[in-house]
Amino acid sequence: MSKIVKILLAVNLAILAALTFIYPNLMVGPGKLIPGHKALEGDCFACHAVFTGASSDKCATCHKPADIGRLTTTGLALTMPSTKAAFHQDLKSQDCVACHSDHAGVKRFARQRQFDHSLLKQTTLTQCQTCHKTPTDSLHKQVTGNCQSCHTQQKWTPATFDHNKFFVLDRDHNAPCATCHVRNDYSQSTCYGCHEHTPDNIRREHIKEGISKYENCVECHRSGNKHDIKGGREGGGERGGEHDD
C-alpha cells in the first residue's frame, strides 16, 4: 500500500471520528430521545460513558432509585405517586438499560425490552399484586396470592399448573377452591370441607381396611372415584401394605 493511500485513509478516519463527536445524532444516534429526555438531545455523555455505552450510574444521577415513583427528578413530590414504579427500590442491582431504552430508534428493528424479574430481591418476587392487577375471571376471583404456583416470571401464559396431576376435578368436585384449600393456602388441602367427609368417618373407614396413615387424602385418591386408589386395589391387601410403613 502506497504512502499516499495510507495518508488518505488516515485523514478519512480522522474526519469520521471528528464528525462522530461533532454530530453524534447524525453519525451514530439510534433515534430521537423520549419526550422526557428531550432537553438532553445532542448531549450523549449525559447518559453514555466513553466507549462503554449507556451507564446506569449516570441514570441514577437524575433518577435516584429511592425516589422513583415518588419524587420528580427535581425532588418535587409527584401529585399521583406511582405504586407500580415503587418496585425499583427492591432491585438487587440498578441495571437501568436492562429494561429501558430512551431512543426511539428505527421501530422496525427496535429490540423489544422486557422486565427481568431476576433483578428483584427474593422477598419481592412473591408480591406480584404490587405491580400486576389481579385477574377478574371466575377462577382468579377465588385465588389470592401464590401466583407462582401456576405462572412463571418469564411468561404469564401458558399457566404451568395441572390440577389433574393432584386431583381430578370431576362434576361432583367442581367446588370453590376454598372448600379444599382453607384460607387460600394452596400448599395443602383437606377433604373435610364436604358433609360426608369427617375425621371420624375417614378414620373408621380406613382403620377397617387396615390403613393407619390417611391424613393426606390425595396421596392415594387422585379423583372422586373411590376405586381409583394409588398403591393397590380396594379390599386392603396391597393397599394396606402401602400405608402401614
Side-chain angles (χ1 to χ4, degrees), residues 13 21 49 55 72 82 112 118 128 144 154 158 160 172 183-184 196 202 231 239:
L13 287 173
F21 278 90
S55 167
T72 66
S82 174
Q112 296 298 316
S118 65
C128 305
T144 57
Q154 285 71 44
T160 56
D172 295 323
R183 292 184 294 277
N184 283 302
E196 70 267 25
I202 294 293
R239 184 180 57 180

Side-chain angles (χ1 to χ4, degrees), residues 210-228:
I211 301 169
S212 59
K213 294 183 179 180
Y214 47 83
E215 290 80 11
N216 186 7
C217 306
V218 297
E219 183 177 347
C220 298
H221 300 279
R222 298 302 176 94
S223 72
N225 181 359
K226 69 177 183 179
H227 301 291
D228 180 17

Side-chain angles (χ1 to χ4, degrees), residues 83-84 87 115 117 120 125 127-135 147 152-153 156:
T83 54
K84 287 188 176 182
F87 71 85
F115 178 69
H117 286 78
L120 289 171
L125 288 174
Q127 301 170 11
C128 305
Q129 282 82 4
T130 302
C131 301
H132 302 280
K133 290 183 179 179
T134 303
C147 303
T152 68
Q153 289 160 0
W156 174 254

